[in-house]
Amino acid sequence: MSHLISVQESLERILTAFSPVETEAVPLREAYGRVLSRPVTAPFDFPPFTNSSMDGFAVIAADTLPASTDKPVWLRTVADIPAGSHFDGSIRPGEAARIMTGAPLPEGADAVVPVESTHIGARFDGSAMPEKVGILQPVSPGDNVRPRGQDVRAGAPVLSAGTALRPQDIGMLASLGFTSVEVHRLPRITVFSTGDELVQPGEDLTPGKIYDSNSYVLRGLTRQSGCQVIDLGLAKDDPDQVRALFEEAVRQQADLILSSAGVSVGAYDYVRQVIESEGKLSLWRVNMRPGKPLTFGRYQNVPFLGLAGNPVSAFVGYQVFVLPVLQKLRGLPALQRRSVKAVTGEPIRTDGRESYLRARVTVEGGIYRAVLSGHQGSGNLFSLIQANALLIVPSGVKSLPIGAELVAWLLDE
């Protein structure tokens, strides 16, 4: 495994090891962001009955044809139909019914005249139904009416499997009477960092120590990706401590063990050693920058992804490899990146590996333009918070002039 594997081959090999997690039924109120495991069809026509889309008067459209502001058509009102009620009778020529938005259209009526187009001239103010109404503008059949089944017919597809449920999706399911839905359970992702140099924020920063940032970034990204995060904390550069965290991940029934650091070639990088003692290492070192020392394998048959320890390397590794894995675990379709083609605003030099450069992308005159957001050292987290994109330089390219066109992954929501 000494040679560097391409990013694409690495990703393909990693993804083949994963399948969507099992399913469960959850109450609709708890289903926001969850991923449907089976398609949903409409159990009945929606709307379930023909109704008014306006406050006004249900009429027979032909009765209103001669109506004008100067010569209103006067119709006798025979019913008052608020939303939630039903009129058992029917509208006959020369008659109208006062009706509210959402109320069922009575038999015989085929249109609704808005209240603004009547002699009343304003919204209903709680006054009693008038004995007759003056129509000031004609309507055509179907005007201001929502027919039964206009939105969706019984048995028609509503949402497909693999849909991450948005508030509007939940609203549609509620309107169709669903109280629960079948979704994929939340994948369980254990996260930890390793390194003698790491301490938790709030502890004393003694000489040679730095605060752990990677676990905070990885936990946030994983939660943002719709998964359950199990924080295992920090492990020193000690094989027993590293092994203990792996054992805890197995005990927690993790779907993926995610770590940062300890996967390089340093004398005290023990993650790889622990993996190989209790499992199998399938992939190590990828032809990319930053994030080359990526590790993938299994510990006691639980998949493991080890990201590089430098903060930007861990972030980029997550974007390139972990995010597609979590999409697949959740039961979502293959990840579709938010990307654009951007023109570089400065010369770019790399070492020939596939490179993911922090950049700021703006739009000028309809053209996306990119400038680097700072020096590209893999420890420069500050340049990452200033960036809104990752600019991708293909493998084998070592220099590019100003004005070169590159794909940029957009990071901002």
Side-chain angles (χ1 to χ4, degrees):
M1 295 189 194
S2 59
H3 70 286
L4 298 182
I5 306 170
S6 73
V7 170
Q8 186 59 37
E9 181 185 347
S10 300
L11 181 58
E12 290 172 358
R13 286 168 58 175
I14 290 170
L15 285 176
T16 58
F18 291 90
S19 299
V21 297
E22 306 85 16
T23 65
E24 61 183 3
V26 299
L28 194 62
R29 293 181 184 275
E30 300 173 13
Y32 294 95
R34 302 295 292 272
V35 179
L36 284 177
S37 58
R38 61 178 64 177
V40 173
T41 57
F44 51 77
D45 290 344
F46 191 83
F49 51 84
T50 299
N51 65 90
S52 175
S53 65
M54 303 282 286
D55 292 339
F57 290 84
V59 299
I60 298 170
D63 283 345
T64 70
L65 291 180
S68 69
T69 305
D70 296 332
K71 292 186 177 181
V73 169
W74 291 92
L75 302 174
R76 184 168 66 93
T77 54
V78 297
D80 204 6
I81 314 175
S85 68
H86 177 73
F87 176 55
D88 289 329
S90 63
I91 303 299
R92 293 175 295 186
E95 296 179 340
R98 186 167 72 165
I99 193 168
M100 304 302 164
T101 301
L105 195 72
E107 285 240 5
D110 60 5
V112 172
V113 177
V115 65
E116 298 92 337
S117 298
T118 70
H119 81 283
I120 297 171
R123 291 291 178 189
F124 297 124
D125 56 4
S127 58
M129 182 185 75
E131 292 185 4
K132 59 182 180 177
V133 59
I135 307 300
L136 307 182
Q137 292 182 4
V139 289
S140 300
D143 282 358
N144 307 310
V145 170
R146 293 185 290 223
R148 173 177 176 165
Q150 181 184 51
D151 297 351
V152 62
R153 288 288 187 182
V158 176
L159 293 167
S160 59
T163 298
L165 293 171
R166 305 164 298 173
Q168 57 266 45
D169 301 324
I170 299 291
M172 186 68 203
L173 292 171
S175 70
L176 292 171
F178 287 91
T179 59
S180 64
V181 285
E182 193 76 18
V183 297
H184 292 280
R185 67 167 174 81
L186 295 176
R188 293 183 289 270
I189 314 300
T190 56
V191 176
F192 66 86
S193 296
T194 67
D196 284 341
E197 75 279 14
L198 299 178
V199 295
Q200 293 283 13
E203 297 179 6
D204 291 337
L205 201 61
T206 55
K209 304 295 185 181
I210 59 172
Y211 289 125
D212 170 43
S213 63
N214 283 359
S215 63
Y216 287 85
V217 172
L218 296 178
R219 285 197 303 269
L221 289 170
T222 303
R223 285 198 182 100
Q224 195 177 64
S225 300
C227 297
Q228 177 186 354
V229 181
I230 303 169
D231 182 14
L232 300 185
L234 300 176
K236 299 298 183 184
D237 287 324
D238 175 276
D240 292 334
Q241 287 196 29
V242 173
R243 189 183 307 277
L245 293 189
F246 275 98
E247 291 291 336
E248 178 62 17
V250 173
R251 192 185 73 79
Q252 293 281 355
Q253 298 182 307
D255 298 297
L256 172 66
I257 303 170
L258 180 62
S259 80
S260 67
V263 296
S264 191
V265 293
Y268 299 100
D269 290 341
Y270 292 110
V271 171
R272 182 183 177 187
Q273 174 184 320
V274 170
I275 283 285
E276 291 183 314
S277 71
E278 291 282 348
K280 180 182 179 182
L281 186 68
S282 302
L283 185 150
W284 183 53
R285 304 178 76 208
V286 178
N287 187 32
M288 65 184 293
R289 172 179 176 258
K292 178 178 70 173
L294 177 88
T295 304
F296 174 66
R298 290 181 177 271
Y299 182 86
Q300 296 184 14
N301 210 35
V302 179
F304 164 76
L305 264 169
L307 305 176
N310 280 317
V312 179
S313 299
F315 179 88
V316 170
Y318 183 96
Q319 297 295 329
V320 176
F321 299 107
V322 181
L323 187 54
V325 165
L326 299 187
Q327 292 271 120
K328 190 169 183 180
L329 283 173
R330 293 181 65 203
L332 289 166
L335 179 63
Q336 299 295 315
R337 303 278 184 182
R338 293 179 60 239
S339 63
V340 298
K341 289 187 177 180
V343 175
T344 58
E346 60 193 288
I348 290 177
R349 295 187 182 279
T350 73
D351 63 1
R353 285 178 285 168
E354 186 167 317
S355 299
Y356 296 79
L357 308 181
R358 286 139 277 168
R360 190 78 197 168
V361 173
T362 57
V363 183
E364 300 174 14
I367 298 174
Y368 289 95
R369 300 187 184 278
V371 294
L372 302 185
S373 59
H375 78 77
Q376 298 295 302
S378 57
N380 185 7
L381 196 57
F382 183 65
S383 69
L384 187 55
I385 69 170
Q386 294 177 303
N388 67 353
L390 292 176
L391 199 60
I392 304 172
V393 181
S395 173
V397 177
K398 293 188 175 183
S399 65
L400 290 167
I402 295 175
E405 190 176 72
L406 293 173
V407 171
W409 290 352
L410 302 181
L411 300 176
D412 290 349
E413 292 294 325

